[in-house]
Amino acid sequence: MKVDQINVIGGGLAGVEAAWQAARLGVQVKLYEMRPEKQTPAHRTDKLAEIVCSNSLKSDEPGTTSYLLKEELRQGGSLVMAAAAETRVPAGAALAVDREKFAELITERIENEPRIRLVREEVTGIPENKITIIATGPLSSDALTAEIMKLTGSDQMYFYDAIAPIVSADSIDTSVAFRAARYDKGGDDYLNCPFDEEQYARFYSELLEAKSVPLQRFEETRWFEACLPIEELARRGVDTLRFGPMKPVGLRDPKTGREPYAAVQLRQENLMADAYSLVGFQNHLRYGEQARVLRLIPGLQHAEFLQFGQIHRNTYICSPRVLQATMQMRDRPNVFFAGQITGVEGYVESVAMGWLAGVNAARLASGSELLEAPARSATGALAHYVSHADAKNFQPVNITFALLPPLPEPAKRNVRKKRERRQLQVELALKEWAEWLEQNHTKLEAAQAG
Ligand SMILES: Cc1cc2nc3c(=O)[nH]c(=O)nc-3n(C[C@H](O)[C@H](O)[C@H](O)COP(=O)(O)OP(=O)(O)OC[C@H]3O[C@@H](n4cnc5c(N)ncnc54)[C@H](O)[C@@H]3O)c2cc1C
């Protein structure tokens, strides 16, 4: 197959990365984005790569899988990672961005890339004979979702995530909330709201009593374990929150000189530092109830809410039934999927699947052999997971060490400490990744020249 143009549907995190990579490899791209003509329940702007919830792209600390994935993308010439570096805001060891500047920068780069044509319209059908990447995300429009269901031949699976609330900085009582990072790691970019035992007990019982937004359109609620709403965590036991998003470990309140009984962390949302989000406080309580209960958090008694927590849908396909590790459909090799819809979870994970789909769609268009990312790499591990996991119990995943292959034998035996073993896993992965990039980008150029 040799064609000179591909389609990418969805100008979110995965779609822009896919379009950018394909364009970099010499292919013309038509990138379809339905906003602003049609909005999703979570997006608010007409910008490409809009970040809908937390502004954090998670840890960028060497030795973590989250860093590994980012580093692979950086080495792979990722548009999204470059924009993140340019719009970074302080967040300790995490990579957080000013969401507006981030989306603006990516939109500008895409609009100015001569090989990409941006088309602002909702796509409602999947063309038969064109090379197409579907990157419409967890909130794919209804019409296209119906088409995807026909195409994949299996039922869609739904579950719910929820957005964390955001408060204005000047409404936080800083005589109560104190600046510190856990174990003083990575500066003191977080504000911490400390609870004593009595305050925690009151907050807990009010949270249990608070009214939720009813889940009407869906029969069944299946929460993603890593993104549970606080009221759901609270229902699991009185201390569950204290061991989860309200854990106080590593935080010393300068007023008492001790760790508080529990704590809520607030993370800076934008470069102006005028907004803070409540870390891990996604919930689906009614807005009035949120205001009442969250103002019981010490330091937030006068909080002004810029955004309340929300519930949202997450749509993803049963990838192990339909996808190959190239991100290509098994039955329709000219159709690729990318991003959260493939069953990865998270911003950077979505970008990585976009990167791989973009590279492979460009290779298909230019008649080159398609690539599987190295098994040891984080990108390869995610692609392997979505294409090979148990289809019956398929669940979205973040990148973790559990997905990476173990160290080869001599290293496994010789390195005893877990931390050092992990460090080595990351180093090996990056070495393989760099070699693979070198080899295969050269190969594509050779194929194109031929
Ligand atoms: C509300 C919410 C909160 C989340 N919070 C976090 C978080 O805090 N941290 C995290 O790591 N991950 C979070 N995620 C998960 C995930 O990382 C993000 O959804 C991420 O944006 C996924 O990237 P994507 O490119 O797959 O989809 P998106 O970024 O959603 O991009 C899909 C794009 O496709 C467009 N589109 C949809 N249908 C059509 C169509 N038919 N035609 C044309 N265009 C279409 C949409 O308008 C959108 O721009 C959250 C998801 C949601 C929904």
Side-chain angles (χ1 to χ4, degrees), residues 287-346:
Y287 288 178
E289 292 287 82
Q290 288 191 45
R292 184 176 66 77
V293 175
L294 298 179
R295 285 194 185 118
L296 295 174
I297 297 172
L300 296 191
Q301 59 276 18
H302 304 301
E304 182 204 347
F305 289 90
L306 302 176
Q307 175 179 286
F308 284 108
Q310 276 176 38
I311 186 152
H312 70 87
R313 194 185 81 190
N314 189 353
T315 308
Y316 60 102
I317 57 168
C318 186
S319 291
R321 279 207 195 113
V322 295
L323 285 193
Q324 307 179 46
T326 52
M327 310 312 287
Q328 225 177 351
M329 282 191 78
R330 293 178 204 274
D331 296 346
R332 287 268 298 268
N334 59 326
V335 176
F336 293 75
F337 279 86
Q340 179 107 349
I341 198 167
T342 64
V344 293
E345 169 67 32

Coordinates of all heavy atoms in Angstrom, one line a residue, residues 287-346:
Y287 N -23.3 19.8 43.5 CA -22.4 20.9 43.7 C -22.6 21.6 45.1 O -21.6 21.9 45.8 CB -22.6 22.0 42.6 CG -22.1 21.5 41.2 CD1 -22.2 22.3 40.1 CD2 -21.4 20.3 41.1 CE1 -21.7 21.9 38.9 CE2 -20.9 19.9 39.9 CZ -21.0 20.7 38.8 OH -20.5 20.4 37.5
G288 N -23.9 21.7 45.5 CA -24.1 22.4 46.8 C -23.5 21.6 47.9 O -23.0 22.1 48.9
E289 N -23.6 20.3 47.8 CA -23.1 19.4 48.8 C -21.6 19.4 48.8 O -21.0 19.4 49.9 CB -23.5 17.9 48.5 CG -25.0 17.7 48.7 CD -25.4 17.6 50.1 OE1 -25.6 18.7 50.7 OE2 -25.5 16.5 50.7
Q290 N -21.0 19.5 47.6 CA -19.5 19.6 47.6 C -19.0 20.9 48.3 O -18.1 20.8 49.1 CB -19.0 19.7 46.1 CG -19.1 18.5 45.4 CD -18.4 18.5 44.1 OE1 -17.3 19.0 44.0 NE2 -19.1 18.0 43.0
A291 N -19.7 22.0 48.1 CA -19.3 23.3 48.7 C -19.4 23.1 50.2 O -18.5 23.5 50.9 CB -20.2 24.4 48.2
R292 N -20.5 22.5 50.7 CA -20.7 22.4 52.1 C -19.7 21.5 52.8 O -19.0 21.8 53.7 CB -22.1 21.8 52.4 CG -22.5 21.7 53.8 CD -24.0 21.2 53.9 NE -24.2 19.9 53.4 CZ -23.9 18.8 54.1 NH1 -23.3 18.9 55.2 NH2 -24.1 17.6 53.5
V293 N -19.5 20.3 52.2 CA -18.6 19.3 52.8 C -17.1 19.7 52.6 O -16.3 19.6 53.6 CB -18.9 17.9 52.2 CG1 -17.9 16.9 52.7 CG2 -20.3 17.5 52.5
L294 N -16.7 20.2 51.5 CA -15.3 20.5 51.2 C -14.9 21.7 52.0 O -13.7 21.9 52.4 CB -15.0 20.7 49.8 CG -15.3 19.4 48.9 CD1 -15.0 19.7 47.4 CD2 -14.5 18.2 49.4
R295 N -15.8 22.6 52.4 CA -15.5 23.7 53.3 C -15.2 23.3 54.7 O -14.8 24.1 55.5 CB -16.5 24.8 53.2 CG -16.5 25.6 51.9 CD -17.3 26.9 51.9 NE -17.2 27.5 50.6 CZ -18.3 27.7 49.8 NH1 -19.5 27.4 50.2 NH2 -18.1 28.2 48.6
L296 N -15.4 22.0 55.0 CA -15.1 21.5 56.3 C -13.6 21.2 56.4 O -13.0 20.9 57.5 CB -15.9 20.3 56.7 CG -17.4 20.5 56.8 CD1 -18.1 19.1 57.0 CD2 -17.7 21.4 58.0
I297 N -12.9 21.2 55.2 CA -11.5 21.0 55.2 C -10.8 22.2 55.8 O -11.0 23.3 55.4 CB -11.0 20.7 53.8 CG1 -11.7 19.5 53.2 CG2 -9.5 20.6 53.7 CD1 -11.4 19.3 51.7
P298 N -9.9 22.0 56.9 CA -9.3 23.1 57.5 C -8.4 23.9 56.5 O -7.6 23.3 55.8 CB -8.4 22.4 58.6 CG -9.1 21.1 58.9 CD -9.7 20.7 57.6
G299 N -8.7 25.2 56.4 CA -8.0 26.0 55.5 C -8.9 26.3 54.3 O -8.6 27.3 53.5
L300 N -9.9 25.5 54.1 CA -10.8 25.8 53.0 C -12.2 26.3 53.4 O -13.2 26.2 52.7 CB -11.0 24.5 52.1 CG -9.8 24.0 51.4 CD1 -10.1 22.9 50.4 CD2 -9.0 25.1 50.7
Q301 N -12.3 26.8 54.7 CA -13.6 27.2 55.2 C -14.2 28.3 54.4 O -15.4 28.4 54.4 CB -13.5 27.5 56.7 CG -12.5 28.6 57.1 CD -11.1 28.2 57.2 OE1 -10.7 27.1 56.8 NE2 -10.3 29.0 57.9
H302 N -13.4 29.1 53.7 CA -14.0 30.2 52.8 C -13.7 29.9 51.4 O -13.7 30.8 50.5 CB -13.4 31.5 53.2 CG -13.5 31.8 54.7 ND1 -14.8 31.9 55.3 CD2 -12.6 32.0 55.7 CE1 -14.6 32.2 56.6 NE2 -13.3 32.3 56.8
A303 N -13.5 28.6 51.0 CA -13.1 28.3 49.6 C -14.1 28.8 48.6 O -15.3 28.6 48.7 CB -12.9 26.8 49.5
E304 N -13.5 29.4 47.5 CA -14.3 29.7 46.4 C -14.0 28.7 45.3 O -12.8 28.5 44.9 CB -13.9 31.1 45.8 CG -14.7 31.6 44.7 CD -13.9 32.6 43.8 OE1 -12.9 33.1 44.2 OE2 -14.4 32.8 42.7
F305 N -15.0 28.0 44.9 CA -14.8 26.9 43.9 C -14.8 27.4 42.5 O -15.8 27.9 42.1 CB -15.9 25.8 44.2 CG -15.7 25.1 45.4 CD1 -16.2 25.5 46.6 CD2 -14.8 24.0 45.5 CE1 -16.0 24.9 47.8 CE2 -14.5 23.3 46.7 CZ -15.2 23.8 47.9
L306 N -13.7 27.1 41.8 CA -13.7 27.5 40.4 C -14.2 26.4 39.5 O -14.7 26.6 38.4 CB -12.2 27.8 40.0 CG -11.5 28.9 40.8 CD1 -10.1 29.1 40.4 CD2 -12.3 30.2 40.6
Q307 N -14.1 25.2 40.1 CA -14.7 24.0 39.4 C -15.0 23.0 40.4 O -14.3 22.8 41.4 CB -13.6 23.4 38.5 CG -14.0 22.2 37.8 CD -12.9 21.6 36.9 OE1 -12.7 22.1 35.8 NE2 -12.3 20.6 37.3
F308 N -16.2 22.4 40.3 CA -16.6 21.3 41.2 C -16.2 20.0 40.6 O -16.0 19.9 39.4 CB -18.1 21.4 41.4 CG -18.5 22.5 42.4 CD1 -19.2 23.6 41.9 CD2 -18.2 22.4 43.7 CE1 -19.5 24.6 42.8 CE2 -18.5 23.4 44.6 CZ -19.2 24.5 44.1
G309 N -16.1 19.0 41.4 CA -15.8 17.7 40.9 C -17.0 17.2 40.1 O -18.1 17.8 40.2
Q310 N -16.7 16.3 39.1 CA -17.8 15.9 38.2 C -17.7 14.4 37.9 O -16.6 13.9 38.0 CB -17.6 16.6 36.9 CG -18.2 18.0 36.8 CD -17.9 18.5 35.4 OE1 -17.9 17.8 34.4 NE2 -17.6 19.8 35.4
I311 N -18.7 13.9 37.4 CA -18.7 12.5 36.9 C -18.5 12.5 35.4 O -19.0 13.5 34.8 CB -19.9 11.7 37.3 CG1 -19.8 10.3 36.9 CG2 -21.2 12.3 36.7 CD1 -20.6 9.3 37.8
H312 N -17.9 11.6 34.9 CA -17.8 11.5 33.4 C -17.7 10.1 32.9 O -17.4 9.2 33.6 CB -16.6 12.3 32.9 CG -15.3 11.7 33.2 ND1 -14.8 10.7 32.4 CD2 -14.5 11.8 34.2 CE1 -13.6 10.3 32.9 NE2 -13.4 10.9 34.0
R313 N -18.1 9.9 31.7 CA -18.0 8.6 31.0 C -16.6 8.3 30.5 O -15.9 9.2 30.2 CB -19.0 8.7 29.8 CG -19.4 7.3 29.3 CD -20.2 7.5 28.0 NE -19.3 7.8 26.9 CZ -19.8 8.2 25.7 NH1 -21.0 8.4 25.5 NH2 -18.9 8.4 24.7
N314 N -16.3 7.1 30.4 CA -15.1 6.7 29.8 C -15.4 5.5 28.9 O -15.8 4.5 29.3 CB -14.0 6.2 30.8 CG -12.7 6.0 30.2 OD1 -12.5 6.1 29.0 ND2 -11.7 5.8 31.0
T315 N -15.2 5.8 27.6 CA -15.5 4.7 26.6 C -14.2 4.1 26.1 O -13.3 4.9 25.8 CB -16.2 5.4 25.4 OG1 -17.3 6.1 25.8 CG2 -16.6 4.4 24.4
Y316 N -14.1 2.8 26.1 CA -12.9 2.2 25.5 C -13.3 0.9 24.8 O -14.3 0.3 25.2 CB -11.8 2.0 26.5 CG -12.1 1.2 27.7 CD1 -11.7 -0.2 27.8 CD2 -12.9 1.7 28.7 CE1 -12.0 -0.9 28.9 CE2 -13.2 0.9 29.8 CZ -12.8 -0.4 29.9 OH -13.1 -1.2 31.0
I317 N -12.5 0.5 23.8 CA -12.8 -0.7 23.1 C -12.2 -1.9 23.8 O -11.2 -1.8 24.6 CB -12.4 -0.7 21.6 CG1 -10.9 -0.4 21.6 CG2 -13.2 0.4 20.9 CD1 -10.3 -0.6 20.2
C318 N -12.6 -3.1 23.5 CA -12.0 -4.3 24.0 C -10.8 -4.6 23.1 O -10.8 -5.5 22.2 CB -13.0 -5.5 24.0 SG -12.2 -6.9 24.8
S319 N -9.7 -3.8 23.3 CA -8.6 -3.9 22.4 C -8.0 -5.3 22.2 O -7.6 -5.6 21.1 CB -7.5 -2.9 22.9 OG -7.9 -1.6 22.8
P320 N -7.8 -6.1 23.3 CA -7.2 -7.4 23.0 C -7.9 -8.2 22.0 O -7.3 -9.1 21.3 CB -7.2 -8.1 24.4 CG -7.5 -7.0 25.4 CD -8.2 -5.9 24.7
R321 N -9.2 -7.9 21.8 CA -10.0 -8.7 20.7 C -9.7 -8.1 19.4 O -9.8 -8.9 18.4 CB -11.5 -8.6 21.0 CG -11.9 -9.5 22.1 CD -13.4 -9.9 21.9 NE -13.8 -10.5 23.1 CZ -14.7 -10.0 24.0 NH1 -15.3 -8.8 23.6 NH2 -15.0 -10.6 25.1
V322 N -9.4 -6.8 19.3 CA -9.4 -6.2 17.9 C -8.1 -5.6 17.5 O -7.9 -5.4 16.3 CB -10.5 -5.2 17.8 CG1 -11.9 -5.8 17.9 CG2 -10.4 -4.1 18.8
L323 N -7.2 -5.3 18.4 CA -6.0 -4.6 18.0 C -4.7 -5.5 18.0 O -4.6 -6.4 18.8 CB -5.7 -3.5 19.0 CG -6.5 -2.2 18.9 CD1 -5.9 -1.1 19.7 CD2 -6.7 -1.7 17.5
Q324 N -3.8 -5.1 17.1 CA -2.4 -5.7 17.2 C -1.5 -4.7 17.9 O -1.9 -3.5 18.2 CB -1.9 -5.8 15.8 CG -2.8 -6.6 14.9 CD -2.2 -6.7 13.5 OE1 -1.1 -7.0 13.3 NE2 -3.0 -6.5 12.5
A325 N -0.3 -5.1 18.3 CA 0.6 -4.3 19.0 C 1.1 -3.1 18.2 O 1.7 -2.2 18.7 CB 1.7 -5.1 19.6
T326 N 0.8 -3.1 16.9 CA 1.1 -2.0 16.0 C 0.0 -0.9 16.2 O 0.1 0.2 15.5 CB 1.1 -2.4 14.6 OG1 -0.1 -3.1 14.3 CG2 2.3 -3.3 14.3
M327 N -1.0 -1.1 16.9 CA -2.2 -0.3 17.1 C -3.2 -0.4 15.9 O -4.1 0.4 15.8 CB -1.9 1.2 17.3 CG -0.9 1.4 18.4 SD -1.2 0.5 19.9 CE -2.6 1.5 20.6
Q328 N -2.9 -1.3 15.1 CA -3.7 -1.6 13.9 C -4.8 -2.6 14.2 O -4.6 -3.5 15.0 CB -2.8 -2.3 12.9 CG -2.8 -1.9 11.5 CD -1.7 -2.7 10.8 OE1 -0.9 -3.5 11.5 NE2 -1.6 -2.6 9.5
M329 N -6.0 -2.5 13.5 CA -7.0 -3.5 13.7 C -6.6 -4.8 13.1 O -6.0 -4.8 12.0 CB -8.3 -3.1 13.1 CG -9.1 -2.0 14.0 SD -10.8 -1.8 13.4 CE -11.6 -3.3 14.0
R330 N -6.9 -5.9 13.7 CA -6.6 -7.2 13.2 C -7.3 -7.4 11.9 O -6.8 -7.9 10.9 CB -7.0 -8.3 14.1 CG -6.2 -8.4 15.4 CD -6.7 -9.5 16.3 NE -6.3 -9.2 17.7 CZ -5.2 -9.5 18.3 NH1 -4.2 -10.1 17.6 NH2 -5.0 -9.2 19.5
D331 N -8.6 -7.1 11.8 CA -9.5 -7.4 10.7 C -9.4 -6.3 9.6 O -9.8 -6.5 8.5 CB -10.9 -7.6 11.1 CG -11.1 -8.8 12.0 OD1 -10.1 -9.6 12.0 OD2 -12.1 -8.9 12.6
R332 N -9.1 -5.1 10.0 CA -9.1 -3.9 9.1 C -7.8 -3.2 9.2 O -7.7 -2.2 9.9 CB -10.3 -3.0 9.4 CG -11.7 -3.4 9.1 CD -12.1 -2.9 7.7 NE -12.1 -1.5 7.5 CZ -13.2 -0.7 7.7 NH1 -14.3 -1.3 8.1 NH2 -13.1 0.5 7.5
P333 N -6.7 -3.7 8.6 CA -5.4 -3.2 8.9 C -5.2 -1.8 8.5 O -4.2 -1.2 8.9 CB -4.5 -4.1 8.1 CG -5.3 -5.2 7.5 CD -6.7 -4.8 7.7
N334 N -6.1 -1.2 7.8 CA -6.0 0.3 7.5 C -6.6 1.2 8.6 O -6.5 2.4 8.5 CB -6.6 0.6 6.1 CG -8.1 0.3 6.1 OD1 -8.5 -0.7 6.7 ND2 -8.9 1.1 5.4
V335 N -7.2 0.5 9.6 CA -7.7 1.3 10.7 C -6.9 1.1 12.0 O -6.6 0.0 12.4 CB -9.2 0.9 11.0 CG1 -9.8 1.6 12.2 CG2 -10.1 1.2 9.8
F336 N -6.5 2.2 12.6 CA -5.7 2.2 13.8 C -6.5 2.9 14.9 O -7.4 3.7 14.6 CB -4.4 3.1 13.6 CG -3.4 2.5 12.6 CD1 -3.7 2.6 11.3 CD2 -2.3 1.9 13.1 CE1 -2.7 2.1 10.3 CE2 -1.3 1.5 12.2 CZ -1.6 1.5 10.8
F337 N -6.2 2.5 16.1 CA -6.8 3.2 17.3 C -5.7 3.8 18.1 O -4.6 3.2 18.1 CB -7.6 2.2 18.2 CG -9.0 2.0 17.7 CD1 -9.2 0.9 16.7 CD2 -10.1 2.7 18.1 CE1 -10.5 0.7 16.2 CE2 -11.4 2.5 17.6 CZ -11.6 1.5 16.7
A338 N -6.0 4.9 18.8 CA -4.9 5.5 19.6 C -5.5 6.2 20.8 O -6.7 6.7 20.7 CB -4.2 6.5 18.8
G339 N -4.8 6.3 21.9 CA -5.2 7.1 23.0 C -6.1 6.3 24.0 O -6.1 5.0 24.0
Q340 N -6.8 7.0 24.8 CA -7.5 6.4 25.9 C -8.5 5.3 25.5 O -8.8 4.4 26.2 CB -8.2 7.5 26.7 CG -9.1 7.1 27.9 CD -8.4 7.4 29.2 OE1 -7.3 7.8 29.3 NE2 -9.2 7.2 30.3
I341 N -9.1 5.5 24.3 CA -10.1 4.6 23.7 C -9.5 3.2 23.6 O -10.3 2.2 23.5 CB -10.7 5.1 22.4 CG1 -12.0 4.4 22.1 CG2 -9.7 5.0 21.3 CD1 -12.8 5.1 21.0
T342 N -8.2 3.0 23.6 CA -7.6 1.7 23.4 C -7.5 0.9 24.7 O -7.2 -0.2 24.8 CB -6.1 1.8 22.9 OG1 -5.3 2.4 23.8 CG2 -6.1 2.5 21.5
G343 N -7.9 1.7 25.8 CA -7.8 1.0 27.1 C -6.5 1.3 27.9 O -6.2 0.5 28.8
V344 N -5.8 2.4 27.5 CA -4.8 2.9 28.4 C -5.5 4.0 29.3 O -6.5 4.5 28.9 CB -3.5 3.4 27.7 CG1 -2.8 2.3 27.0 CG2 -3.9 4.5 26.8
E345 N -4.9 4.3 30.4 CA -5.5 5.3 31.2 C -4.4 6.4 31.5 O -3.3 6.1 32.0 CB -5.9 4.6 32.6 CG -6.3 5.5 33.7 CD -7.6 6.3 33.4 OE1 -8.5 5.8 32.7 OE2 -7.6 7.5 33.9
G346 N -4.7 7.6 31.2 CA -3.8 8.7 31.6 C -3.4 9.5 30.4 O -3.4 9.0 29.2

